[in-house]
Amino acid sequence: MSADLKFDYKALAKEFGTPFYIYDFDMIKERFLRLKTAFKARKSQIFYAMKANSNLSLLSLLKELDSGFDCVSIGEVKRALQVGTKPYKIIFSGVGKSELELKQALEYDILYINLESEAEMYVLENVAKKLDIKARISIRVNPNVDAKTHPYISTGLNVNKFGVAFDLARKMYLYAHKSEFLEPVGIHFHIGSQLLDISPIHEASTLVAKLVRELKALNIELKFFDIGGGLGVSYEGESEPDLYAYAQGVLGSLSGLDLTIALEPGRFLVARAGELVSSVLYEKITPSKRFIITDAAMNDLLRPSLYNAYHEIVLPYNEGEKSPCDVVGGICESGDFFAKDRLLEQSKNGDILVIKNAGAYGFSMSSNYNTRPKVCELAKFKDKNDKTQIKLIRKRQSFETLVQDELECLKEG
Ligand code: LLP
């Protein structure tokens, strides 16, 4: 399969150098609106999980579409605020928020904080007490439902570090309800990522809704039913979950309850819209293998190395017979690969190689390993005249900025 040449990779490579990420903003918009429409029968709010891709221009695009943001560090909260998001469109999740992060989140007056442990609740209560305010909270329940996804991104089982079991959640809600400094407003679950079969989400939803009803009987009225993210996308031609069925299943579990559904999609909105574009450096034949060595490496896209994740790879300008090869980066680790035994055409130095479906957890998980600068990011979108535009949305990192913080210390002696 060859890449559809929606734009001229060669020209972009010439102008911006390689490797670079490029995102199709129109596709992100389309997927956002499709998801929003699926839930329109009910009060709902999308809080994009920006851990998937937190580029400010991308956040700005989503903010304009009325998205809120699910953040997992105070840095992410600041990113949301940076693009002009109203605090009531920001929620804060994560199993290890520090006291300082909790304090800042309260000062920013964000919509609510998703608590993940009893200990965190007491710390938050104390912080709120010092500020003399009531902290709006939601509790992440771990429903002990098997999401049947990769173990590293499965989060809804009791063996996982996330959330609290039902009994503890009940106890925490009762405590928070009585506290002068806590106000329970929501309930949350997120059982895993890249779910192609969404029935575990519905199973979890039914279990969590049962707790909401119990709490209601105890006069604890929640407003938000936060179903997390987790929607899977097609990496290898799999069919993606039916959004209408997804919505119906959740709505079905909430009959008789007046709740706003909060969604935290990450991957679904951005994964398919992104590509990592690289250049071939060398082809290398060993006695047992053919390798394509690219100028992108595991520090730019970690998913294959970390999860053995599949990403479609194309040599958009190459023709001829395909043969098996490993596509690898230049980092000094055998784990630095993008694909193993993939069928690809012959290539040579300078050929463009595109790694597809890399918009989620690509750039955001990238690092400076081997003192490799972070790559640049581009956005592609149609303007009012239906003409494709390309915009630089992050400059390639320079060596100077990469070492800046160290250099200052070095100079201070
Ligand atoms: N909400 C919470 C609480 C989460 O932990 C996550 C993802 C999301 C929402 C968004 O999930 P999504 O809609 O993207 O599935 N690095 C991994 C994925 C890690 C997901 C972590 N949590 C990967 O590259 O596959």
Side-chain angles (χ1 to χ4, degrees), residues 47-52 70-72 93-94 114 116 140 150 152-155 162 188-195 226-232 235 246 263-270 301-303 306-307 309 311 360-362 364-365:
F47 297 89
Y48 167 60
M50 72 162 79
K51 61 166 81 75
D70 172 41
C71 304
V72 286
S93 313
N114 273 322
E116 296 237 15
R140 177 167 178 178
H150 189 289
Y152 280 19
I153 51 175
S154 182
T155 52
F162 301 96
H188 174 227
F189 66 90
H190 170 84
I191 57 170
S193 196
Q194 182 53 12
L195 271 69
D226 182 341
I227 64 172
L231 278 177
Y235 284 105
Y246 173 55
L263 299 105
E264 302 173 355
R267 185 190 317 269
F268 176 77
L269 299 180
V270 295
L301 175 65
L302 189 60
R303 304 193 70 256
L306 193 59
Y307 317 111
H311 283 268
Y361 307 107
S364 64
M365 289 176 75

Side-chain angles (χ1 to χ4, degrees), residues 45-47 50 59 62-64 66-71 76-92 105 108-112 136:
Q45 174 67 48
I46 295 178
F47 297 89
M50 72 162 79
L59 301 184
L62 288 171
K63 185 222 139 198
E64 291 307 315
D66 200 34
S67 184
F69 297 101
D70 172 41
C71 304
E76 288 196 348
V77 172
K78 288 179 185 174
R79 276 183 184 270
L81 293 167
Q82 183 81 49
V83 297
T85 309
K86 296 272 184 288
Y88 61 82
K89 291 273 186 69
I90 299 174
I91 57 180
F92 190 13
Y108 287 133
D109 198 23
I110 66 167
L111 183 61
Y112 60 79
R136 286 180 295 276

Side-chain angles (χ1 to χ4, degrees), residues 1 194 196 233-240 272 308-313 342 356-357:
M1 198 194 303
Q194 182 53 12
L196 288 165
V233 304
S234 167
Y235 284 105
E236 266 190 281
E238 309 94 325
S239 50
E240 295 190 352
R272 305 255 318 164
N308 212 9
Y310 178 93
H311 283 268
E312 185 187 341
I313 296 182
R342 193 66 63 83
K356 306 196 73 154
N357 305 320

Side-chain angles (χ1 to χ4, degrees), residues 363-397:
F363 189 95
S364 64
M365 289 176 75
S366 68
S367 77
N368 287 126
Y369 190 37
N370 280 209
T371 305
R372 291 168 56 92
K374 298 275 187 99
V375 304
C376 63
E377 294 176 286
L378 308 175
K380 161 187 173 283
F381 55 92
K382 288 260 174 68
D383 67 12
K384 283 185 221 113
N385 304 319
D386 215 30
K387 265 193 77 181
T388 299
Q389 298 288 346
I390 302 288
K391 187 167 182 278
L392 182 66
I393 56 170
R394 181 186 173 114
K395 290 198 278 187
R396 189 178 302 283
Q397 190 177 26

